[in-house]
């Protein structure tokens, strides 16, 4: 019986680790152009700035040299989920302020239900 319990715990642990891995990761520079929507209105939240960066990359061809592609946000419906995914994920208050007030290089780890954003360089 003890062996069955150990095996079950081991398998559960492996499953948890698989789910903890992001489905994709990308780097992006959030330049001044990413702080404005396509109508020229200033964006004031980290989530909308990150979403605009992806729209600029995939729709408008406005790419910064450090911007990378990803397999998830190239789809418009998935970009629409970005704000909710960020609210379910992680972004420190410090990093949020840097994104909203600067032009940092960020790393975005995309998981099935959330994103984790980290400022790599401000």
């Amino acid at each position: 019986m003890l062996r069955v319990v150990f095996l079950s715990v081991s398998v559960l642990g492996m499953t948890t680790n698989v789910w903890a891995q992001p489905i994709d990761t990308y780097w992006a520079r959030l330049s001044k152009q990413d702080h404005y929507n396509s109508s020229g209105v200033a964006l004031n939240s980290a989530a909308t700035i990150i979403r605009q960066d992806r729209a600029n990359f995939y729709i408008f061809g406005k790419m910064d040299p450090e911007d990378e592609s990803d397999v998830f946000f190239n789809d418009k419906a998935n970009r629409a989920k970005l704000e909710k995914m960020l609210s379910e994920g992680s972004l420190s208050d410090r990093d949020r302020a840097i994104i909203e007030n600067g032009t940092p290089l960020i790393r975005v780890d995309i998981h099935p239900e959330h994103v984790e954003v980290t400022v790599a360089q401000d």
Side-chain angles (χ1 to χ4, degrees):
M1 176 72 172
L2 184 58
R3 187 174 185 180
V4 172
V5 170
F6 178 74
L7 182 59
S8 296
V9 170
S10 295
V11 170
L12 179 61
M14 289 184 336
T15 304
T16 302
N17 288 336
V18 170
W19 287 108
Q21 298 299 315
I23 57 175
D24 199 5
T25 296
Y26 73 90
W27 295 84
R29 171 69 63 184
L30 301 178
S31 63
K32 293 283 184 198
Q33 67 186 356
D34 300 320
H35 284 72
Y36 295 88
N37 69 15
S38 57
S39 300
V41 176
L43 303 172
N44 57 11
S45 77
T48 57
I49 293 166
I50 295 167
R51 182 177 175 184
Q52 186 63 44
D53 169 77
R54 295 292 82 190
N56 284 343
F57 187 91
Y58 288 111
I59 298 171
F60 304 113
K62 297 179 181 179
M63 299 168 206
D64 297 299
E66 293 135 315
D67 286 357
E68 295 179 346
S69 64
D70 65 272
V71 297
F72 190 79
F73 292 122
N74 64 347
D75 179 82
K76 184 178 181 178
N78 287 341
R79 284 193 302 275
K81 298 175 188 175
L82 197 140
E83 285 97 338
K84 182 176 184 332
M85 291 177 76
L86 186 55
S87 72
E88 302 286 329
S90 66
L91 175 62
S92 72
D93 291 339
R94 176 189 172 278
D95 286 357
R96 184 180 310 276
I98 291 170
I99 290 170
E100 292 170 357
N101 299 304
T103 58
L105 178 66
I106 63 168
R107 174 187 163 134
V108 179
D109 292 318
I110 306 166
H111 296 265
E113 300 298 323
H114 72 278
V115 294
E116 298 171 3
V117 177
T118 307
V119 169
Q121 177 186 25
D122 54 2

